Amino acid sequence: MTAKSSGLDAADRSPTGRPVTEVAVGVLVSPDGRYLLAQRPAGKPYEGYWEFPGGKLEAGETVEAALARELHEELGIVLTDCHRWHTLEHDYPHAYVRLHFCKVTGWTGELHGREGQAFSWEHLPVQVAPLLPAAIPVLELLAAD
Ligand SMILES: Nc1nc2c([nH]c(=O)n2[C@H]2C[C@H](O)[C@@H](COP(=O)(O)OP(=O)(O)OP(=O)(O)O)O2)c(=O)[nH]1
């Protein structure tokens, strides 16, 4: 199979030739219209910055499967309802990421930070800081929704 027919093409490289890290991100929406933000744990790039929960896709994983796994690992919840929303790319010093944002409206279980991270349900405009650079355009999209 050629690279193109297997789906591997120029989209797997950034415009400057960096490999693309695919990331599944959940925008959890509470019944009263707040959004869940989590603080990045110690030891990760941008430690202490606020972001939407999620993480990198593993080999062969879909966005939805990766998101379900990450939400369970990070927050102890089981994803029951989500849909893809926006995809954004960001060129960080540590990686070029493609962020697949999904709106999450259904889950079961009690939320708790299983990696010791803080989290907060926020109305717009959010009060937590600092935010990951790539979270800022997402908050603008949410405000415009
Ligand atoms: N989860 C999440 N990641 C984001 C957001 N915005 C943003 O630029 N990112 C970037 C930061 C990281 O480079 C990448 C996510 O990778 P990560 O290190 O958190 O993923 P992971 O949990 O799989 O990490 P790992 O410890 O397994 O390496 O996406 C966001 O809102 N949420």
Side-chain angles (χ1 to χ4, degrees):
M1 198 184 276
T2 66
K4 222 175 177 68
S5 64
S6 68
L8 293 172
D9 56 24
D12 299 300
R13 293 271 163 187
S14 77
T16 57
R18 300 183 79 190
V20 175
T21 300
E22 306 281 352
V23 181
V25 187
V27 178
L28 275 72
V29 190
S30 70
D32 65 351
R34 289 179 295 159
Y35 301 105
L36 187 73
L37 288 169
Q39 200 171 25
R40 287 177 68 78
K44 289 197 175 190
Y46 284 90
E47 160 182 344
Y49 280 63
W50 291 83
E51 65 175 6
F52 295 93
K56 298 191 274 275
L57 270 65
E58 293 180 352
E61 226 177 14
T62 63
V63 167
E64 290 80 3
L67 183 59
R69 177 180 52 71
E70 291 283 350
L71 293 182
H72 191 254
E73 285 172 9
E74 293 179 4
L75 300 171
I77 57 173
V78 175
L79 176 63
T80 58
D81 200 5
C82 77
H83 63 269
R84 296 215 195 181
W85 183 52
H86 283 286
T87 300
L88 301 175
E89 299 186 2
H90 194 88
D91 200 358
Y92 286 104
H94 69 277
Y96 184 97
V97 295
R98 181 177 296 136
L99 303 155
H100 301 272
F101 285 91
C102 302
K103 283 262 185 89
V104 177
T105 50
W107 62 87
T108 58
E110 280 300 311
L111 270 160
H112 56 281
R114 291 177 79 184
E115 297 174 338
Q117 75 278 39
F119 58 88
S120 179
W121 287 103
E122 294 282 316
H123 284 293
L124 300 179
V126 301
Q127 300 301 308
V128 292
L131 294 164
L132 268 189
I136 293 164
V138 176
L139 290 165
E140 288 166 3
L141 287 167
L142 285 172
D145 244 12

